Amino acid sequence: MNKLNNMFVGENNSIIDALNKINENNTGTVIVIGENRKLLGTLTDGDIRRALINNVSLNSSIKNIYNKNCKYIYENYNEEDVQSILKMYIKAVPIVDKNKIVVDYVALKDFFNTEDTEENPVLIMAGGLGTRLRPLTDDIPKPMLKVGDKPIIQTIIEQFRRSGYKNIFISVNYKSDFIKNYFRDGSDFGVSINYIEEDKRMGTAGAIRLAEEYLNTSFFVINGDILTNINFQSLMKYHINHEFDMTIGSRNYDMQVPYGVLNTEELCITSLEEKPVYSFMVSGGIYVLNPQIIKYIPQNKYYDITQLINLLINKNRKIGNFPIQEYWMDIGKVEDYHKANEDIKKLF
């Protein structure tokens, strides 16, 4: 019971009270309870840190900063229930009875070996202006726009973490403080985050060159506006097993011509196709590269990844195609953003 009491605070307790409990229980979390230990929510050290960034006083009540929609499990839970929640890197999950009275909790640090990690770095491109999403991006960088209940880039980071990739680099430029203040060093999200500062816009490949010193093995590059449930481990294994220099995650794209298309031979029409559909393979904004490829990127110069791809093709380097069969959305336009917010409720 002493162990459980170290997890409890009331919603009228101060932030400093909650911090003292977090220091005692070593879970990074406290459980907020009401009368008779009824579950009200949870509060993490990350929640507190973000409140302090917003100039909330340590002596303030936690009432306005704790998570009232927290995850919880019932006391007859099974292992799959716990795994499905803790894999979201929720640090501690309350266990309740049928009346939502807290009877115990499960901590992430006790349930998983969270030290297991893949060595391959992940470089997320988050420095763009997001001009096609204005006015949504007038005051916030595109990767920080919420899809569902969290920023797009947070979903990307959590997906990589669940696949074992925790060595994260984020290339930032436009309104970068929003990203850096939210994620900090990544420890609240179960990863390690370092920031690649673009003093000027460098393009996708140019930002890779800035991160060269950290990229010593095959690494991912992904645009910070991609919503997908691709299997990242499968992509990396595909790249390595086929010994590609670079692998591009590709997506099938259908385009319908809204007219009848005439096929001609000199002055004569040989056939007519009514509104035909043409299919193309397009880049999905997800790549795996070998570090040896970085030398082809010019230093301190704006350089897009499309330029790099064409250069590698001309130099006969081995470039792989990895078709993305899973859900994929490039959130480049306002209508894409609204569609992604509909899709995430059903698919993620």
Side-chain angles (χ1 to χ4, degrees):
M1 185 55 67
N2 284 337
K3 177 185 174 184
L4 196 55
N5 285 336
N6 283 340
M7 292 291 294
F8 289 155
V9 293
E11 65 176 1
N12 293 317
N13 280 107
S14 67
I15 292 177
I16 192 67
D17 292 335
L19 279 173
N20 285 331
K21 286 291 181 80
I22 287 173
N23 188 53
E24 291 172 6
N25 65 43
N26 197 31
T27 67
T29 304
V30 285
I31 300 171
V32 185
I33 58 171
E35 189 176 354
N36 297 323
R37 295 211 317 263
K38 188 163 187 176
L39 177 66
L40 299 180
T42 58
L43 179 74
T44 69
D45 47 9
D47 295 327
I48 293 174
R49 184 179 297 115
R50 284 182 281 277
L52 297 179
I53 289 172
N54 290 320
N55 297 317
V56 178
S57 167
L58 281 170
N59 295 315
S60 299
S61 156
I62 67 169
K63 183 177 292 186
N64 294 323
I65 68 169
Y66 76 88
N67 179 12
K68 299 176 179 64
N69 296 309
C70 69
K71 300 288 186 182
Y72 59 89
I73 53 178
Y74 289 101
E75 54 188 338
N76 60 343
Y77 70 89
N78 58 46
E79 188 169 304
E80 288 184 1
D81 294 332
V82 182
Q83 285 185 342
S84 64
I85 294 176
L86 291 180
K87 281 184 177 179
M88 300 166 66
Y89 205 75
I90 294 174
K91 296 179 179 180
V93 182
I95 302 172
V96 300
D97 65 13
K98 63 181 180 180
N99 297 312
K100 286 189 70 175
I101 302 300
V102 181
V103 297
D104 205 344
Y105 70 94
V106 177
L108 175 69
K109 68 183 181 66
D110 298 327
F111 203 85
F112 287 117
N113 178 6
T114 57
E115 300 305 315
D116 290 345
T117 186
E118 302 286 349
E119 62 177 355
N120 308 93
V122 177
L123 177 56
I124 303 174
M125 299 297 173
L129 300 176
T131 52
R132 292 184 298 160
L133 275 168
R134 288 177 177 167
L136 298 177
T137 53
D138 283 344
D139 300 314
I140 191 171
K142 178 167 61 171
M144 291 300 293
L145 290 174
K146 284 192 173 182
V147 175
D149 61 354
K150 64 187 70 170
I152 305 165
I153 189 173
Q154 182 177 341
T155 296
I156 294 172
I157 289 170
E158 290 174 349
Q159 287 173 307
F160 274 106
R161 188 202 63 235
R162 286 195 291 270
S163 295
Y165 302 102
K166 303 177 184 179
N167 189 17
I168 309 293
F169 297 88
I170 305 177
S171 179
V172 293
N173 177 258
Y174 175 68
K175 297 187 180 297
S176 62
D177 285 346
F178 279 92
I179 297 173
K180 292 189 288 186
N181 289 339
Y182 187 88
F183 291 104
R184 299 174 68 86
D185 65 358
S187 58
D188 290 339
F189 303 88
V191 297
S192 169
I193 295 179
N194 288 282
Y195 299 94
I196 307 301
E197 302 274 359
E198 297 182 47
D199 294 331
K200 58 181 181 180
R201 295 188 64 235
M202 297 295 293
T204 312
I208 295 172
R209 188 67 191 240
L210 290 178
E212 180 178 12
E213 64 180 293
Y214 306 107
L215 307 174
N216 299 317
T217 187
S218 297
F219 60 93
F220 293 95
V221 175
I222 184 169
N223 295 341
D225 59 357
I226 300 295
L227 184 65
T228 180
N229 52 14
I230 185 176
N231 186 316
F232 291 113
Q233 286 190 339
S234 295
L235 171 57
M236 180 58 71
K237 289 176 182 177
Y238 180 87
H239 171 81
I240 293 172
N241 291 342
H242 288 84
E243 299 181 341
F244 290 129
D245 296 303
M246 178 179 185
T247 300
I248 302 172
S250 63
R251 184 71 176 178
N252 189 69
Y253 182 79
D254 293 334
M255 179 182 294
Q256 184 172 32
V257 180
Y259 309 104
V261 174
L262 301 176
N263 297 310
T264 63
E265 186 175 318
E266 295 183 349
L267 299 179
C268 297
I269 296 173
T270 58
S271 65
L272 182 148
E273 295 180 72
E274 180 63 24
K275 298 180 180 178
V277 176
Y278 296 101
S279 294
F280 305 92
M281 295 301 292
V282 299
S283 171
I286 306 170
Y287 315 91
V288 178
L289 290 82
N290 290 342
Q292 296 80 6
I293 295 303
I294 300 176
K295 66 183 180 183
Y296 293 106
I297 303 172
Q299 292 187 2
N300 198 32
K301 180 181 176 182
Y302 186 96
Y303 202 70
D304 269 328
I305 203 157
T306 51
Q307 295 173 272
L308 176 62
I309 292 168
N310 284 324
L311 177 65
L312 295 177
I313 291 171
N314 291 334
K315 292 188 174 294
N316 295 316
R317 302 306 298 245
K318 193 175 181 183
I319 302 179
N321 171 39
F322 183 86
I324 300 171
Q325 306 296 337
E326 300 88 348
Y327 175 87
W328 174 91
M329 170 73 76
D330 175 0
I331 307 173
K333 297 176 291 185
V334 173
E335 52 266 37
D336 297 331
Y337 175 68
H338 294 310
K339 180 67 165 57
N341 269 289
E342 294 174 6
D343 291 346
I344 199 167
K345 299 172 187 176
K346 297 176 288 186
L347 299 172
F348 289 78

